[in-house]
Amino acid sequence: MTIQAGSRWQNWGRSVEATPQFVGRANTVGDVVDTLTFARERGTTVRAIGAGHSFTPIAATEGVLLDVSGLRGLLGVDGRLVTLGAGTHLHELPELLAPHGLALENMGDINVQTIAGALSTGTHGTGARFGGLATQVRGATIVTASGELLHIDRDHHADLLPAIALGLGALGVLVAVQLECVPEFVLSAVERPEPAETVLAEWEQRIAEHDHFEFYSWPHADLVSTKTNTRLPADAQREPLGPMREWFDNRFMSNTVFRLSLEMLRAMPAMIPPMNRLSVRLEADRAFSDYSWNVFSTVRTTRFREMEYAIPVAEVPAALREVHDLIERKNWKISFPIEVRASAADDLWLSTAAGRPTGYIAVHRYWKDDEREYFREVEAIMRAHDGRPHWGKMNSRTADDLRPSYPRFDDFLAARDRLDPDRLFQNPYLARVLGA
Ligand SMILES: Cc1cc2nc3c(=O)[nH]c(=O)nc-3n(C[C@H](O)[C@H](O)[C@H](O)COP(=O)(O)OP(=O)(O)OC[C@H]3O[C@@H](n4cnc5c(N)ncnc54)[C@H](O)[C@@H]3O)c2cc1C
């Protein structure tokens, strides 16, 4: 175990910074146990850290920051059940799983998160028949606040599984996770601009008809950019983007040019509406097919901040129209598109999709812009639709106002009382959203 004095820490979106008193690096389960003992003896708290890609201060601590990236790699494969070190990054999976012909069932936009970090905030992709990453958890091994190693699966402490799979880092330090994977598959992707009103009118039909449908709704424009991905067998003919096209679309246009235009538009906000109308037309209009992990994940080098809300799926068109009306009424100039996705209902206690088919609406702002007023007013709209905030994305919610939205909220708190009675894993964010 290495424990050193801490130094200033920032998240990817530069919305959070903290100076932990100590930083622990764990390469073994014993190191995790020792770090927790170290913190308990000093009367301080511990937060495990993943890739720092949450926009909320969910991972921040002034106590001990515990880096578990030494706990990574493939620990076992049993049919489709794969056991991974909790600090494994999602981008490592294709190589680890290739010899077994397996892949994650669904993924979000990026692949730089750790498994534990992505699970702990309820990271999801899109697809009305598919749940978020945590719905694939079949088992987990954690170190609890007392230093006990606890294995949870359907035969051991099964009652805790719906809490541990998506636990906000509040129940213990995940050291290993068992996920149910699927045989690797190819995705065919069709991306194009379409009239906003058509897509909104057909929203429920589109998500029902297609495996993975999502769209980016540009403020000040009447076109949206749609992405429709269809699952094909692994031996389907692949027609991937060539390396030049991949670089040009995904790196140069979506990141370099986009970032330069955002910088320019900061000085010329009146140009944002015409620029958005141009961008949606210039956005990739393309069709290709590739292994699922290459299609699901994109590269994001332009820093931004994000708030995402989960609402009942049928309410997406109305809520999105309200957001656009708000932007026009306030005369705001918003350069980032609004991302809209869908997910199946699940039964994880703190999942944003718990008990209901879900639509997601995510708003973004360039990291140098002030997001506060925009996010506050959009949050009010989402709350009126019984919205649940993504745990890793900016929100201002409290335990008291979240409780009515989650039927099993108090069960989660009871599990927390059982596993961390002295709040070794507490931080100000958890105190706000879960309570003291
Ligand atoms: C550019 C970008 C794109 C994104 N795209 C998506 C998307 O498509 N879909 C989506 O749903 N989200 C998305 N997110 C959000 C992101 O997936 C989540 O915030 C995720 O939690 C980040 O993972 P991480 O490894 O960085 O975890 P961190 O942010 O480092 O940590 C998140 C939480 O996990 C806890 N944790 C970490 N390791 C452990 C452990 N071993 N044991 C217990 N708890 C632990 C931390 O304490 C913290 O509470 C995106 C974020 C960014 C910046």
Side-chain angles (χ1 to χ4, degrees):
M1 169 187 64
T2 342
I3 296 193
Q4 293 169 331
S7 53
R8 185 163 155 266
W9 171 87
Q10 286 181 299
N11 67 342
W12 180 88
R14 300 293 184 262
S15 49
V16 181
E17 60 175 59
T19 306
Q21 215 181 337
F22 299 99
V23 174
R25 290 204 166 72
N27 292 315
T28 64
V29 173
D31 292 345
V32 175
V33 175
D34 290 347
T35 308
L36 301 194
T37 307
F38 175 89
R40 271 197 319 272
E41 285 172 357
R42 279 161 186 76
T44 188
T45 53
V46 180
R47 292 303 289 164
I49 184 75
H53 271 57
S54 294
F55 299 93
T56 51
I58 190 165
T61 183
E62 304 285 332
V64 181
L65 194 69
L66 175 58
D67 176 354
V68 295
S69 56
L71 298 173
R72 71 212 289 175
L74 187 58
L75 306 177
V77 179
D78 176 8
R80 291 183 183 185
L81 297 180
V82 168
T83 304
L84 294 152
T88 311
H89 289 83
L90 298 183
H91 63 77
E92 297 175 82
L93 293 185
E95 200 179 324
L96 292 173
L97 300 182
H100 309 281
L102 295 171
L104 291 180
E105 183 184 63
N106 198 4
M107 294 178 73
D109 279 350
I110 55 163
N111 62 8
V112 299
Q113 308 97 319
T114 59
I115 301 271
L119 291 174
S120 300
T121 60
T123 294
H124 63 91
T126 192
R129 289 191 295 281
F130 302 93
L133 188 56
T135 63
Q136 305 308 302
V137 173
R138 298 293 173 263
T141 305
I142 62 167
V143 181
T144 67
S146 64
E148 184 194 355
L149 198 62
L150 198 64
H151 182 70
I152 297 134
D153 61 21
R154 66 175 188 187
D155 300 321
H156 307 86
H157 310 283
D159 56 319
L160 286 174
L161 201 54
I164 296 288
L166 199 171
L168 275 58
L171 305 178
V173 178
L174 288 160
V175 293
V177 175
Q178 188 183 53
L179 297 176
E180 182 166 349
C181 291
V182 296
E184 64 181 26
F185 59 102
V186 166
L187 276 177
S188 109
V190 177
E191 301 177 1
R192 54 183 180 159
E194 293 191 68
E197 277 311 317
T198 309
V199 172
L200 284 184
E202 296 176 359
W203 162 244
E204 288 189 77
Q205 186 190 332
R206 297 270 183 120
I207 59 171
E209 280 175 2
H210 302 289
D211 292 325
H212 305 277
F213 178 76
E214 71 175 291
F215 65 95
Y216 289 90
S217 179
W218 291 78
H220 324 293
D222 52 15
L223 293 178
V224 299
S225 313
T226 60
K227 285 189 176 192
T228 307
N229 295 338
T230 304
R231 299 164 85 94
L232 305 174
D235 58 0
Q237 184 69 36
R238 285 187 304 125
E239 291 179 16
L241 296 171
M244 267 312 285
R245 180 81 199 263
E246 214 272 330
W247 173 85
F248 183 78
D249 286 0
N250 298 351
R251 293 184 186 255
F252 184 64
M253 290 303 285
S254 300
N255 285 293
T256 313
V257 171
F258 187 45
R259 183 172 59 249
L260 291 174
S261 79
L262 290 168
E263 284 289 346
M264 185 193 81
L265 292 168
R266 297 188 73 225
M268 291 185 279
M271 291 299 294
I272 289 175
M275 193 62 166
N276 284 9
R277 289 191 280 273
L278 183 66
S279 297
V280 67
R281 285 179 191 281
L282 294 182
E283 269 273 294
D285 185 350
R286 59 189 190 175
F288 60 100
S289 56
D290 205 344
Y291 290 120
S292 59
W293 51 88
N294 289 336
V295 178
F296 284 136
S297 306
T298 47
V299 176
R300 299 269 186 240
T301 58
T302 301
R303 254 180 244 287
F304 57 82
R305 289 169 182 167
E306 182 173 347
M307 179 178 74
E308 184 176 53
Y309 260 86
I311 63 174
V313 73
E315 296 181 34
V316 162
L320 186 62
R321 282 193 183 94
E322 288 169 48
V323 174
H324 282 285
D325 290 348
L326 169 76
I327 292 169
E328 297 310 324
R329 200 169 61 246
K330 294 277 185 180
N331 201 22
W332 291 330
K333 305 292 179 237
I334 306 291
S335 43
F336 259 84
I338 301 163
E339 189 175 15
V340 183
R341 296 183 274 186
S343 148
D346 65 48
D347 54 7
L348 306 176
W349 296 350
L350 289 192
S351 168
T352 49
R356 67 186 193 197
T358 291
Y360 290 97
I361 296 184
V363 290
H364 311 71
R365 287 223 83 171
Y366 187 44
W367 71 289
K368 293 183 183 172
D369 291 338
D370 186 350
E371 77 289 343
R372 285 173 296 183
E373 194 185 359
Y374 179 40
F375 284 12
R376 189 171 59 241
E377 302 257 352
V378 171
E379 184 169 57
I381 292 174
M382 297 304 151
R383 285 188 66 170
H385 289 274
D386 191 17
R388 298 166 175 168
H390 188 302
W391 299 108
K393 301 189 184 178
M394 295 164 87
N395 70 83
S396 70
R397 304 296 295 275
T398 66
D400 285 344
D401 68 50
L402 287 164
R403 178 176 285 105
S405 201
Y406 289 90
R408 306 297 298 268
F409 197 79
D410 286 326
D411 292 319
F412 187 91
L413 296 190
R416 184 190 191 210
D417 285 341
R418 188 166 138 202
L419 295 172
D420 185 17
D422 301 323
R423 303 292 185 259
L424 184 69
F425 303 116
Q426 184 72 303
N427 71 0
Y429 180 78
L430 291 193
R432 168 157 70 79
V433 299
L434 297 180

